[in-house]
Amino acid sequence: MSKFISVGKILNFHGIGGEAKVGFSKNQAEFFLALKKVFVKINNEYRPLNIVRSRLNKTFAIVKFDGINNVNELLPLKGCLLFVEEATIRENLQEDEFLIDELAGLEVVDDQDRKLGFIVGVLNNGASDLLSVKTNSKRICFVPFVKAIVTKVDLKNKKVVINNLEGLLE
């Protein structure tokens, strides 16, 4: 069975021709506009929607789906999340990019392999991604996910090695 990952949400209609305003993750415009097919979850079932065309409009995309030709056909989908199969995401990842669910739960260690905590989530502050790390002292700290600080991501051994700069995890 395929695993699906959310890539956007139908926010509203755009005009009367069945086009949709779609919100998507920051910094993912190029990926989103390249999609030819997405899935919408209705009654716990993922149904495919083929994309005829898409374009950017400020902070959202305007998307025309195949077979949806007016507002009335689009309105039942308003508010629905859009998904792609995990394989679609994976084939578009760069060498140093990861899925959030791959990082969550990984142990965080320093370059001497001393355990510092574990990743509980990933946030984005607009400039970079931030690893949300629960430290050994049970505090939550944010670590910029940049090469100067995160020196290695080892999915096989479920570890992230960081350059533990003074004050980073205090």
Side-chain angles (χ1 to χ4, degrees):
M1 184 172 145
S2 292
K3 182 176 179 185
F4 292 91
I5 297 175
S6 175
V7 294
K9 180 178 181 178
I10 297 176
L11 303 172
N12 211 340
F13 60 87
H14 180 79
I16 60 171
E19 289 184 311
K21 289 182 182 178
V22 176
F24 54 89
S25 296
K26 222 177 209 183
N27 305 322
Q28 295 299 315
E30 186 177 323
F31 169 75
F32 188 84
L33 293 177
L35 293 173
K36 299 296 178 204
K37 178 171 82 171
V38 293
F39 294 83
V40 63
K41 189 175 182 182
I42 299 172
N43 299 327
N44 286 329
E45 181 183 328
Y46 291 93
R47 297 183 185 171
L49 288 174
N50 291 317
I51 296 174
V52 175
R53 67 181 175 273
S54 60
R55 66 187 188 279
L56 284 182
N57 185 345
K58 299 179 185 175
T59 59
F60 55 88
I62 308 246
V63 180
K64 175 70 172 101
F65 298 109
D66 188 33
I68 297 178
N69 299 307
N70 61 56
V71 173
N72 292 332
E73 293 173 345
L74 181 66
L75 280 177
L77 302 177
K78 182 179 174 182
C80 289
L81 293 176
L82 298 176
F83 299 86
V84 295
E85 292 175 300
E86 182 179 4
T88 302
I89 298 275
R90 289 200 180 280
E91 64 194 32
N92 285 286
L93 289 176
Q94 302 297 317
E95 181 180 329
D96 60 347
E97 291 181 320
F98 306 92
L99 296 176
I100 290 172
D101 66 349
E102 289 178 314
L103 298 173
L106 294 185
E107 186 175 63
V108 177
V109 298
D110 64 12
D111 57 359
Q112 303 297 313
D113 206 35
R114 290 183 291 242
K115 184 178 178 183
L116 304 171
F118 62 94
I119 298 172
V120 294
V122 180
L123 306 168
N124 185 289
N125 68 0
S128 68
D129 289 325
L130 300 170
L131 300 178
S132 180
V133 177
K134 187 168 190 177
T135 66
N136 295 335
S137 62
K138 308 294 185 225
R139 293 187 58 208
I140 301 291
C141 297
F142 299 106
V143 175
F145 197 6
V146 294
K147 289 183 187 242
I149 296 174
V150 178
T151 59
K152 183 177 180 182
V153 176
D154 184 352
L155 295 176
K156 181 180 175 190
N157 293 308
K158 300 183 188 244
K159 288 184 182 180
V160 171
V161 180
I162 68 167
N163 180 6
N164 190 19
L165 304 170
E166 187 175 337
L168 183 65
L169 292 179
E170 292 178 6

